[in-house]
Amino acid sequence: MRVLVTGGAGYIGSHTLLELMAQGHEVCVLDDYSNATPEVLNRVRVLSNGTVADYTGDVRDPEMLDQVMQIFRPDAVIHFAGLKAVGESEAKPLLYYDVNVGGTLALLRAMDRVGCRTIIFSSSATVYGEPVYLPYDEAHPTAPMSVYGQSKLMAENILTSWAKATQGAAAVLLRYFNPVGAHHSSKIGEDPKDIPNNLMPYIAQVAVGKRPALSVFGDDYDTPDGTGLRDYIHVVDLARAHVAALDYATKTPGARPFNIGTGQSYSVRDMVAAFESACGQKIATIQAERRAGDIAAMQADASRAAAELGWRAEHGLNDMAASTWAWQSANPNGYDPQK
Ligand code: WQD
């Protein structure tokens, strides 16, 4: 299939390009490079020994979208382009709604103009909010606690209405838990633009000496060791879930959410310990207060994805830590050696 990948130069997008191409799909990227660099696509081209068409532009720009749609004529779209920093979303709500919701609206309108009716959407488990029960299944109430989570849920609702009103349309809503890790080549990986918000890239930057110590946000949660529990998923498993979702979408009209996690959760201290054994050195930590908005524990029930997508996570914690370390130690400044 011809697959347009918005945000395809990003962390999850770039890993997904490799999996799509490995399955024989033809890919085209639209990215504004606000949180990525064109170097990523150069590396994807080398790794895949394949062709990656790409356009630089904003997913909210109808003229840009029409140009890409007319030239590439996608059979399907995988929509990653969006803003994802929870803290920033509270400070800049209009920007987050404009990009994450407005961008999805603009994309669907452009798809309608060329009759493209298949979309895979990068959603997030943050749409659930505080757990009423764990593990979260897809029937769990949705009550996002952040603007970021609200924007993802609004986009899901728009996609659901679009799929219902559009003959033959399919919208697969992938609710990611916590993506970590890197491609086994160590040529692509997570490269946050500023100080990492997320745990794993922060630990990795401590390990390469870019940060002095990891602040552990809270040690008094109702969890086995008092630190936050999350369902971390290897980015290659997550990428493969998009290929499985694409296959499903071509056969299944309508909109449907799927949890994409492992069903196993780990604490902050578990992650630090796993990384220490992967890199062979101690990770300095400082005990800090809880971070506002953090939930004690998150864990996926991913049985729907197993049953209906034929997908399940295959990489374990050691591979998540070892692949992150291999990427970070080979690229201590990420994609920009001058950084
Ligand atoms: C994980 C755990 C922190 C940093 C967010 C988004 C989610 C997705 C992933 C976009 C928590 C603790 C973290 C640090 C720490 N992003 N922590 N010190 O908050 O579960 O999820 O990122 O799609 O949508 O909500 O991930 O990695 O920030 O935190 O102690 O320096 O690590 O308290 O328990 P989170 P995280």
Side-chain angles (χ1 to χ4, degrees):
M1 292 175 74
R2 299 162 66 80
V3 185
L4 171 62
V5 183
T6 74
Y11 170 44
I12 302 166
S14 54
H15 285 81
T16 302
L17 291 175
L18 289 177
E19 299 303 323
L20 288 166
M21 296 167 81
Q23 297 302 316
H25 296 293
E26 191 180 339
V27 298
C28 175
V29 170
L30 172 63
D31 206 306
D32 66 0
Y33 297 102
S34 58
N35 191 26
T37 164
E39 170 60 15
V40 177
L41 297 188
N42 296 335
R43 297 194 187 189
V44 167
R45 291 176 179 115
V46 170
L47 287 169
S48 63
N49 192 26
T51 305
V52 179
D54 72 284
Y55 292 83
T56 302
D58 190 318
V59 73
R60 296 168 291 179
D61 178 351
E63 285 76 39
M64 166 57 73
L65 286 169
D66 284 345
Q67 181 189 356
V68 176
M69 295 289 179
Q70 288 298 335
I71 295 170
F72 184 64
R73 289 279 169 193
D75 302 304
V77 177
I78 300 184
H79 182 31
F80 291 108
L83 302 176
K84 54 157 269 181
V86 173
E88 184 185 52
S89 75
E90 297 303 322
K92 301 176 180 175
L94 300 186
L95 176 63
Y96 270 68
Y97 289 128
D98 193 22
V99 174
N100 292 359
V101 182
T104 302
L105 274 171
L107 178 62
L108 289 173
R109 288 196 176 103
M111 288 171 66
D112 282 350
R113 288 193 287 271
V114 293
C116 178
R117 292 192 169 76
T118 303
I119 185 166
I120 314 301
F121 177 59
S122 169
S123 190
S124 171
T126 43
V127 301
Y128 293 121
E130 279 289 346
V132 175
Y133 55 81
L134 285 176
Y136 292 104
D137 61 13
E138 289 85 354
H140 187 285
T142 51
M145 298 158 59
S146 67
V147 166
Y148 164 73
Q150 286 283 2
S151 73
K152 287 294 185 180
L153 184 59
M154 288 176 184
E156 284 196 8
N157 293 339
I158 289 165
L159 285 154
T160 300
S161 301
W162 169 81
K164 190 174 174 190
T166 308
Q167 178 65 32
V172 181
L173 315 172
L174 300 183
R175 292 173 176 171
Y176 306 165
F177 280 72
N178 287 63
V180 294
H183 188 257
H184 60 77
S185 67
S186 307
K187 297 290 185 191
I188 59 172
E190 189 170 11
D191 182 22
K193 198 169 50 175
D194 306 310
I195 300 173
N197 294 308
N198 297 136
L199 179 67
M200 190 65 116
Y202 201 105
I203 292 174
Q205 289 194 10
V206 172
V208 290
K210 281 176 75 79
R211 310 277 165 209
L214 169 77
S215 296
V216 175
F217 295 146
D219 64 351
D220 59 350
Y221 286 106
D222 181 15
T223 62
D225 67 12
T227 65
L229 284 173
R230 293 293 184 274
D231 188 324
Y232 296 95
I233 176 166
H234 196 290
V235 65
V236 171
D237 284 328
L238 179 56
R240 289 173 181 164
H242 291 75
V243 179
L246 191 59
D247 294 344
Y248 169 91
T250 57
K251 302 187 276 278
T252 322
R256 194 156 174 80
F258 291 88
N259 287 339
I260 302 300
T262 66
Q264 166 74 48
S265 59
Y266 293 103
S267 74
V268 175
R269 297 222 175 276
D270 292 333
M271 299 303 280
V272 170
F275 207 92
E276 287 178 337
S277 60
C279 70
Q281 62 189 39
K282 283 293 286 174
I283 298 292
T285 62
I286 300 167
Q287 190 53 57
E289 292 302 307
R290 292 183 178 191
R291 181 173 62 179
D294 272 358
I295 287 170
M298 295 180 72
Q299 188 171 333
D301 171 346
S303 54
R304 176 186 287 184
E308 298 182 24
L309 302 183
W311 171 91
R312 64 181 73 243
E314 296 171 344
H315 294 76
L317 176 59
N318 293 336
D319 197 344
M320 295 178 202
S323 61
T324 303
W325 171 240
W327 149 255
Q328 193 75 75
S329 52
N331 305 271
N333 291 317
Y335 290 104
D336 176 5
Q338 307 307 318
K339 205 159 83 172

